[in-house]
Amino acid sequence: MKTKKDPDVLVIGGTRIKRGERKKLQLEVSTLFDYTELKIPVEVIRGKEKGPVLFISGAIHGDEINGVEIVRRILKRKILSKIKGTLILVPVVNIFGFNNKSRYLPDRKDLNRSFPGTKKGSLASQMAYIFMKEIVSKCTHGIDLHTAAVHRTNYPQIRASLDDNIETEELAKEFGAPVIINSKLRDGSLREAARKRNVRILLFEGGQALRFEENVIQVGLKGCLRVMKKIGMITSRDKYQRKPAFIANSSYWVRAPHGGTFSAKVKIGNYVEEGDTLAVIADLFGSSRVEVVAEKSGIVVGANLLPLVTRGDAMFHIANFDESKKVIKAVEDYFED
Ligand SMILES: [Zn+2]
């Protein structure tokens, strides 16, 4: 990639980092009621040789912490002493939400709907602005790590808009999550703002909020390392071999047709056919039962784990593939061996 990025001296939040240096720094974002300063912790690792500039960020939604652990595991890798280019690791972007075990900022704003942000806007807008200015705009590539929202879980998946660039598609496949969802950009998301600045960005989604889930962490960790290899940041004899990745071109949410308590009949990663029963909603006495059925066949890539619903609540997220049974089996069996 031809770019002016990766300069001899990179400056982030006033800290100067030369080629070959590895530094921790703190990005000042705000102050709490008690005057405690709030800062986003960042670690920057620069190779001696020029190359791609990649950021990997976790917890833009403060309670989505699988990514925090993925970043921590990347930081322990010995290979980081031999990278080409610059790696910027941000384990927790929404430091407020993280400390409050919450997705949101104290003003109930969603940071991932506040990009690119403004210098003098709301707290969320200012945080987004600082993150864009100091980190994202200095990068050629990015990986943003998420989980499902609270009380939900996601089958590990990459979300990317594949129509904009062939490199994005190649990177999405290289990441090697069981499913790639070709999804439109959301207004105000980091993904949209990064793309407008010509930063190739992948969004990884896996597991639940407020948990460390080893299988998800492994998919995310290996995926990040494979992307680093693919963009020429690391050369490693480790193969980080991946399974084939399959692209879903559409997906839909199955919503509760009735309020009540429900028992699920399927799990994330399962294949379902049109008309299959996904769950049964019952009243408190068990005398009334409503079946929840799949409208179209596909793989369950997201599910509500809270067995209490009111009509219209999202229950299952199903991704549709134009693929053979063999492919469906490969997606279903991803974690088998
Ligand atoms: Zn999220």
Side-chain angles (χ1 to χ4, degrees), residues 59-64 103 110 112-113 144-149 154 203-205:
I60 276 208
H61 293 132
D63 59 350
E64 300 182 2
R103 175 184 181 90
D110 185 330
N112 208 26
R113 304 286 178 271
D144 190 26
L145 304 167
H146 288 250
T147 74
N154 281 334
L203 188 149
F204 173 68
E205 283 269 358

Side-chain angles (χ1 to χ4, degrees), residues 63 148-153 208-210 303-307 314:
D63 59 350
V150 73
H151 299 313
R152 289 187 189 168
T153 187
Q208 309 176 42
L210 299 174
N304 186 351
L305 298 172
L306 183 73

Side-chain angles (χ1 to χ4, degrees), residues 95-140:
I95 202 81
F96 284 96
F98 182 70
N99 278 298
N100 291 306
K101 301 185 220 94
S102 160
R103 175 184 181 90
Y104 302 103
L105 287 163
D107 55 1
R108 301 295 294 165
K109 283 211 167 66
D110 185 330
L111 182 56
N112 208 26
R113 304 286 178 271
S114 306
F115 282 93
T118 52
K119 204 174 178 177
K120 292 187 172 172
S122 67
L123 171 60
S125 183
Q126 290 189 30
M127 273 183 92
Y129 176 83
I130 292 168
F131 191 63
M132 283 306 293
K133 178 170 167 268
E134 298 294 342
I135 309 275
V136 181
S137 64
K138 293 171 181 168
C139 292
T140 56

Side-chain angles (χ1 to χ4, degrees), residues 27-290:
L27 276 183
E28 278 179 38
V29 283
S30 192
T31 315
L32 295 177
F33 303 137
D34 67 353
Y35 272 49
T36 305
E37 282 186 4
L38 247 116
K39 298 168 181 177
I40 300 175
V42 180
E43 186 153 346
V44 184
I45 300 131
R46 302 205 64 202
K48 289 191 178 112
E49 256 184 272
K50 196 175 167 84
V53 185
L54 170 72
F55 77 87
I56 303 177
S57 56
I60 276 208
H61 293 132
D63 59 350
E64 300 182 2
I65 62 173
N66 276 325
V68 178
E69 179 62 10
I70 292 168
V71 170
R72 205 177 63 85
R73 302 239 188 135
I74 294 169
L75 281 165
K76 287 201 292 194
R77 291 278 163 152
K78 290 198 182 93
I79 192 104
L80 299 190
S81 63
K82 293 181 201 151
I83 65 165
K84 211 173 171 182
T86 298
L87 178 63
I88 305 175
L89 292 162
V90 190
V92 181
V93 181
N94 179 358
I95 202 81
F96 284 96
F98 182 70
N99 278 298
N100 291 306
K101 301 185 220 94
S102 160
R103 175 184 181 90
Y104 302 103
L105 287 163
D107 55 1
R108 301 295 294 165
K109 283 211 167 66
D110 185 330
L111 182 56
N112 208 26
R113 304 286 178 271
S114 306
F115 282 93
T118 52
K119 204 174 178 177
K120 292 187 172 172
S122 67
L123 171 60
S125 183
Q126 290 189 30
M127 273 183 92
Y129 176 83
I130 292 168
F131 191 63
M132 283 306 293
K133 178 170 167 268
E134 298 294 342
I135 309 275
V136 181
S137 64
K138 293 171 181 168
C139 292
T140 56
H141 298 81
I143 305 173
D144 190 26
L145 304 167
H146 288 250
T147 74
V150 73
H151 299 313
R152 289 187 189 168
T153 187
N154 281 334
Y155 203 47
Q157 57 197 260
I158 286 290
R159 292 189 189 169
S161 32
L162 303 180
D163 31 350
D164 60 297
N165 187 284
I166 185 70
E167 194 192 356
T168 308
E169 180 167 340
E170 281 170 4
L171 295 178
K173 286 183 175 163
E174 192 61 27
F175 195 96
V179 178
I180 299 167
I181 299 186
N182 185 8
S183 65
K184 289 205 179 77
L185 296 163
R186 263 183 202 263
D187 284 349
S189 69
L190 169 62
R191 198 151 65 92
E192 182 198 53
R195 196 191 134 187
K196 280 189 179 156
R197 280 159 185 75
N198 218 14
V199 180
R200 305 277 166 250
I201 185 161
L202 299 179
L203 188 149
F204 173 68
E205 283 269 358
Q208 309 176 42
L210 299 174
R211 297 287 182 274
F212 281 168
E213 294 157 285
E214 191 57 32
N215 60 349
V216 174
I217 290 163
Q218 286 300 327
V219 175
L221 171 64
K222 287 176 187 153
C224 289
L225 293 169
R226 276 194 293 261
V227 168
M228 286 165 68
K229 193 172 175 183
K230 182 84 177 169
I231 63 176
M233 182 167 263
I234 54 174
T235 47
S236 158
R237 270 186 294 167
D238 290 11
K239 286 200 181 76
Y240 310 125
Q241 216 154 27
R242 71 168 172 90
K243 298 184 178 184
F246 301 107
I247 300 169
N249 281 312
S250 65
S251 67
Y252 70 98
W253 276 97
V254 177
R255 294 188 174 272
H258 200 284
T261 61
F262 76 85
S263 59
K265 304 296 176 198
V266 293
K267 288 189 296 207
I268 52 167
N270 286 169
Y271 173 68
V272 295
E273 289 194 333
E274 185 183 335
D276 281 358
T277 302
L278 305 175
V280 176
I281 301 174
D283 71 3
L284 298 178
F285 304 99
S287 51
S288 168
R289 288 159 48 92
V290 178

